[in-house]
């Protein structure tokens, strides 16, 4: 819904399909499948019905038939794994396995690293500025904010999981002491109901721990970055193989994040506090400066029309630029099919 609203009044939008370089498909696939995900009696046909109807309509459109979908894109609103059901009894819908969707670019908050048509986009945070001035004020605020703690962690342990990694991180935090680490227990949806608690925690720390969630990504990663803290990652699929349009990768990950080998941590060969405390203060300042600089492109503005203005691009502007590049690269392929 956020993406659709912004694109309706985006400066690049045209209502003349003959002039369009790319086509956005305004279908809320996440809502279509989401209403059936936890329904005990929902069949695979129930979960797929709306998506089947969408593709029936889409495949009849002349602009889709012209390119076989190569210049079309859609925002799914959930992680990619919610749309890859392979058996009737499996989890989620089967939208991404259906004929005719293979060439469409899918904007998802977690992508399949082995599917080049998935593009990872930021989880929406609670901050939706209206102007570039709003963003610059926020950047100044988080850059100057005192950060007495070395690191912080927001999350709930998963006691039902053998060797729960989150529980290990909570133990690391407790061992470091309250002066060095702040922890927030997110059990029973506490952090979802009051995200300000998470932001306050992260704004008081230089680093924030970002293990995988129910899947490899977490909204908390973007809360951390928007709060001006440096994320500490333990799975490369949590960020490095997800958000190539938004986060510097390909050897630049160390500019804005820290990676800790989770196996070494489990084995007791190192500690989170030891790794982070060993990073020179000069490097920490550079990393935090890089994080703060990245903030505008990670936000979904509340503004219509020109967006944030002042030449500042939000997450949707970055998305449009990336999609236009992608279509230009793919055009030779679909024009010969």
């Amino acid at each position: 819904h956020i993406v659709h609203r912004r694109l309706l009044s985006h400066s690049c939008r045209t209502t003349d399909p003959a002039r369009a370089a790319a086509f956005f498909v305004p279908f809320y696939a996440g809502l279509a499948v989401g209403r059936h995900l936890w329904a005990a009696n929902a069949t695979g046909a129930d979960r797929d019905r709306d998506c089947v109807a969408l593709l029936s309509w889409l495949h009849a459109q002349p602009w889709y038939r012209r390119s076989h979908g190569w210049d079309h894109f859609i925002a799914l609103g959930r992680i990619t794994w919610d749309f890859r059901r392979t058996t009737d009894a499996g989890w989620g819908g089967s939208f991404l396995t259906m004929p005719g969707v293979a060439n469409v670019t899918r904007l998802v908050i977690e992508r399949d690293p082995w599917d080049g048509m998935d593009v990872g986009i930021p989880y929406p945070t609670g901050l939706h500025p209206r102007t570039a001035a709003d963003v610059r004020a926020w950047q100044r605020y988080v850059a100057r904010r005192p950060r007495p703690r070395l690191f912080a962690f927001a999350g709930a342990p998963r006691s039902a999981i053998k060797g729960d990694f989150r529980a290990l991180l909570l133990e690391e935090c407790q061992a470091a002491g309250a002066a060095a680490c702040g922890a927030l227990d997110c059990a029973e949806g506490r952090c979802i109901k009051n995200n300000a608690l998470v932001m306050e925690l992260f704004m008081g720390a230089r680093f924030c721990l970002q293990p995988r969630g129910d899947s490899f990504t977490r909204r908390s990663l973007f809360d951390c970055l928007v709060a001006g803290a440096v994320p500490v990652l333990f799975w490369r699929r949590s960020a490095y193989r997800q958000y190539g349009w938004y986060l510097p990768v390909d050897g630049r990950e160390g500019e804005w994040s820290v990676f800790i080998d989770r196996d070494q941590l489990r084995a007791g060969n190192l500690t989170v506090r030891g790794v982070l405390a060993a990073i020179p203060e000069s490097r920490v300042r550079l990393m935090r400066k890089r994080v703060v600089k990245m903030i505008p492109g990670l936000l979904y503005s509340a503004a219509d029309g020109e967006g944030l203005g002042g030449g500042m691009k939000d997450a949707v502007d970055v998305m449009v630029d990336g999609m236009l590049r992608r279509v230009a690269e793919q055009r030779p392929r679909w024009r010969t099919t």
Side-chain angles (χ1 to χ4, degrees):
H1 180 269
I2 292 172
V3 173
H4 187 194
R5 180 190 60 81
R6 280 277 285 115
L7 289 179
L8 283 173
S9 53
H10 197 278
S11 60
C12 289
R13 186 191 180 208
T14 177
T15 56
D16 179 1
R19 299 179 59 200
F23 295 81
F24 177 69
V25 182
F27 175 69
Y28 301 165
L31 295 180
V33 71
R35 61 196 175 122
H36 299 295
L37 286 180
W38 291 274
N41 297 322
T43 65
D46 293 332
R47 285 173 277 171
D48 291 340
R49 185 171 294 110
D50 293 330
C51 294
V52 169
L54 175 276
L55 289 179
S56 177
W57 173 85
L58 185 63
H59 294 169
Q61 305 308 306
W63 304 102
Y64 177 91
R65 294 201 305 268
R66 180 190 67 169
S67 70
H68 304 287
W70 283 111
D71 54 359
H72 284 54
F73 65 111
I74 186 170
L76 297 187
R78 301 185 67 92
I79 65 174
T80 191
W81 313 110
D82 290 341
F83 304 95
R84 295 181 178 274
R85 192 187 76 249
T86 55
T87 64
D88 191 67
W91 169 261
S94 62
F95 183 47
L96 297 186
T97 70
M98 293 179 184
V101 77
N103 299 339
V104 176
T105 295
R106 316 79 178 246
L107 308 171
V108 286
I109 49 180
E110 177 174 333
R111 65 180 292 265
D112 177 353
W114 296 278
D115 189 334
M117 301 310 293
D118 277 5
V119 173
I121 62 174
Y123 275 76
T125 67
L127 183 60
H128 300 281
R130 292 193 173 276
T131 66
D134 290 343
V135 179
R136 285 192 288 269
W138 178 261
Q139 288 174 298
R140 289 193 297 269
Y141 176 68
V142 296
R144 298 170 181 172
R145 174 96 176 194
R147 296 179 184 264
R149 289 190 171 118
L150 178 63
F151 64 105
F153 174 58
R158 304 293 173 87
S159 57
I161 300 176
K162 183 179 180 180
D164 177 26
F165 193 72
R166 293 189 186 192
L168 176 62
L169 294 183
L170 287 170
E171 292 172 5
E172 287 270 329
C173 191
Q174 293 168 358
C181 179
L184 180 61
D185 188 341
C186 293
E188 299 180 354
R190 183 185 183 198
C191 298
I192 296 174
K193 297 172 185 175
N194 190 353
N195 188 244
L197 295 173
V198 178
M199 295 299 289
E200 190 71 21
L201 176 72
F202 289 165
M203 286 191 291
R206 283 161 276 175
F207 298 92
C208 52
L209 309 186
Q210 296 298 326
R212 60 169 293 171
D214 293 327
S215 60
F216 281 92
T217 62
R218 301 173 79 209
R219 167 184 161 164
S220 179
L221 169 68
F222 294 96
D223 288 333
C224 169
L225 291 165
V226 170
V230 176
V232 180
L233 300 167
F234 306 89
W235 278 265
R236 297 189 183 279
R237 282 177 62 183
S238 294
Y240 303 155
R241 298 172 184 170
Q242 292 292 337
Y243 308 106
W245 287 2
Y246 295 89
L247 302 177
V249 290
D250 297 329
R252 296 179 294 160
E253 296 87 349
E255 296 176 8
W256 55 274
S257 68
V258 175
F259 185 81
I260 294 180
D261 187 322
R262 62 186 180 277
D263 294 327
Q264 292 292 312
L265 189 63
R266 284 188 187 277
N269 297 330
L270 49 80
T271 65
V272 170
R273 183 177 186 178
V275 171
L276 300 180
I279 301 174
E281 187 61 33
S282 58
R283 184 186 167 203
V284 175
R285 286 196 298 269
L286 287 175
M287 296 171 77
R288 289 199 52 242
K289 185 177 180 179
R290 185 71 177 93
V291 165
V292 170
K293 185 177 180 180
M294 289 161 50
I295 288 175
L298 305 178
L299 298 173
Y300 295 90
S301 79
D304 294 324
E306 296 297 321
L308 295 170
M312 182 179 286
K313 295 183 177 183
D314 76 345
V316 173
D317 294 319
V318 174
M319 178 191 305
V320 170
D321 289 347
M323 190 60 206
L324 294 178
R325 289 194 308 270
R326 188 177 180 88
V327 170
E329 293 167 357
Q330 292 177 341
R331 184 170 287 112
R333 183 188 309 178
W334 61 260
R335 283 192 169 174
T336 58
T337 60

